[in-house]
Amino acid sequence: MRTSEFACAETPEGEPYHRLGRTSRFRWWSVPLTLAVLAVMTFFLWMGVVLSVTIVAIMGGSGLTPDSATIGEIAQLAFGLLPTALFIPIVFFLVRVVQWRRVGSLLSVEGRLRWGWLARCTGIAVFPVSLCVLAFLPLAELLRPGLVPTEATGGTEVFAAMMTVVVLLVPFQSAAEELTVRGLLMQLVGAIGARKGEPGGGSAVSRVLRSPGPAVLAGGTLFSALYLALRPDDPWTAAALAVMGLGAAWLTWRTGGLEAAIGLHVVNGLVQFTLLAFEGSLGQVTTGAVAGSGLPLGAGSPLVLILALVQAGLYVLVVTWFADRQGVRRRSAVAKTGR
């Protein structure tokens, strides 16, 4: 029981993941206030990034080895990943301070990150990701010759420097995207519908808003919509983003937490960035948006949609099977009553 009015709200009892934002402290203005603070913090974050990139550009970079990528290019890779990774503390701040609830409720219905389940999902993700990588080379040459990059890495030192940045930042970048889109956004949408017994809670609109559909749709299609708005000439990648996003959002609801979405995103991101670093394709790596989004390879071609369907389908099936077998909790705990 809360003993102080200043204490954070407890996690709602017996609720699915997308409804955990509907705490006792939720008010109608909680959603717009959260989005407004997020917009302000994002603005200042990107201002800091622009300033840092400008300083690096002014200072310039010297080659690590002859005819290789420069220090400036590797710094650009880091600056492409770091801003997204910094959304982790931003999202935690929004949940704990703006929404005044426990950060653990953003991670899973158990109020914490289930490390064992995360490790299991990460291991499961290796299979569909590896399958797509093995299928990529022959399919790429068949559907779109020249899609596979053939540039040199630039030397061992350059490759090592690039991989250091990738290994250190990609897991955080991947986790940050899932915390923001499959976590914060899904719970914002899921919190809108009034509960049964609350004013308006019995209406058809509230029943629809309480259902997982709107939250899964919002969390699964945001990246796709943004990408299509920026690149209307590339519907294949936008469609693949929607497939991967909807699969991750559905699994988040189905398994009661972000572990499944994070596991696939981290494995996919590490594999993609490693392959691009090995090929020396810094130009593709530093675009960041597609390479770090958890998509299979082959962006910009029908191949990316084919691989996304295979990868997401296999991963959803296997994770769901394991979740049922292990009895992974899908709803928050209900307090036991009794003497």
Side-chain angles (χ1 to χ4, degrees):
M1 180 180 295
R2 195 168 66 243
T3 58
S4 171
E5 60 179 315
F6 297 106
C8 64
E10 296 296 333
T11 302
E13 297 180 1
E15 293 283 6
Y17 177 83
H18 71 289
R19 292 285 290 169
L20 298 185
R22 186 88 181 187
T23 67
S24 60
R25 292 191 177 273
F26 180 85
R27 301 294 183 270
W28 67 266
W29 40 261
S30 298
V31 173
L33 177 61
T34 301
L35 293 176
V37 177
L38 174 61
V40 172
M41 297 183 74
T42 302
F43 171 78
F44 283 107
L45 171 63
W46 283 108
M47 287 294 292
V49 171
V50 170
L51 177 61
S52 301
V53 171
T54 302
I55 293 174
V56 170
I58 292 174
M59 293 176 61
S62 58
L64 295 177
T65 58
D67 299 322
S68 73
T70 64
I71 294 176
E73 288 174 316
I74 295 175
Q76 185 181 353
L77 170 62
F79 283 125
L81 296 171
L82 184 60
T84 305
L86 290 176
F87 268 80
I88 294 177
I90 289 176
V91 170
F92 285 171
F93 174 85
L94 293 172
V95 170
R96 185 61 182 85
V97 177
V98 179
Q99 299 181 357
W100 210 248
R101 61 187 175 101
R102 297 183 184 279
V103 170
S105 63
L106 183 73
L107 302 175
S108 78
V109 294
E110 294 189 14
R112 59 182 177 83
L113 192 65
R114 299 168 293 188
W115 289 102
W117 179 236
L118 174 61
R120 177 63 61 89
C121 291
T122 303
I124 294 171
V126 173
F127 168 66
V129 171
S130 300
L131 182 63
C132 287
V133 171
L134 292 175
F136 172 67
L137 295 177
L139 288 176
E141 289 301 316
L142 178 66
L143 296 176
R144 187 175 167 184
L147 182 64
V148 180
T150 57
E151 300 174 31
T153 62
T156 304
E157 293 182 10
V158 174
F159 179 73
M162 292 167 61
M163 286 307 303
T164 299
V165 173
V166 168
V167 171
L168 290 178
L169 293 182
V170 166
F172 292 102
Q173 174 256 349
S174 301
E177 288 190 8
E178 298 306 325
L179 284 166
T180 305
V181 182
R182 255 65 73 177
L184 183 66
L185 179 60
M186 280 185 62
Q187 291 188 346
L188 282 176
V189 174
I192 296 175
R195 293 192 189 92
K196 295 178 181 179
E198 294 180 346
S203 67
V205 173
S206 291
R207 288 197 297 271
V208 171
L209 291 175
R210 287 198 302 266
S211 70
V216 170
L217 188 63
T221 60
L222 177 63
F223 276 149
S224 175
L226 292 176
Y227 184 84
L228 192 60
L230 295 173
R231 293 285 306 275
D233 60 329
D234 186 10
W236 297 112
T237 301
L241 283 168
V243 168
M244 297 296 293
L246 288 170
W250 187 85
L251 279 176
T252 298
W253 165 76
R254 180 63 174 73
T255 62
L258 293 171
E259 295 89 355
I262 292 175
L264 178 61
H265 202 144
V266 169
V267 172
N268 224 335
L270 287 173
V271 169
Q272 288 183 72
F273 277 103
T274 299
L275 290 176
L276 291 172
F278 183 76
E279 294 290 345
S281 304
L282 268 177
Q284 295 184 42
V285 174
T286 53
T287 56
V290 175
S293 63
L295 275 180
L297 296 164
S301 70
L303 179 58
V304 71
L305 180 57
I306 296 173
L307 295 178
L309 288 168
V310 172
Q311 187 177 107
L314 286 174
Y315 187 67
V316 166
L317 288 174
V318 177
V319 168
T320 302
W321 183 80
F322 270 102
D324 290 340
R325 184 179 181 183
Q326 294 189 351
V328 174
R329 181 179 291 174
R330 299 173 56 182
R331 289 178 175 268
S332 57
V334 178
K336 295 182 179 179
T337 58
R339 299 171 185 240

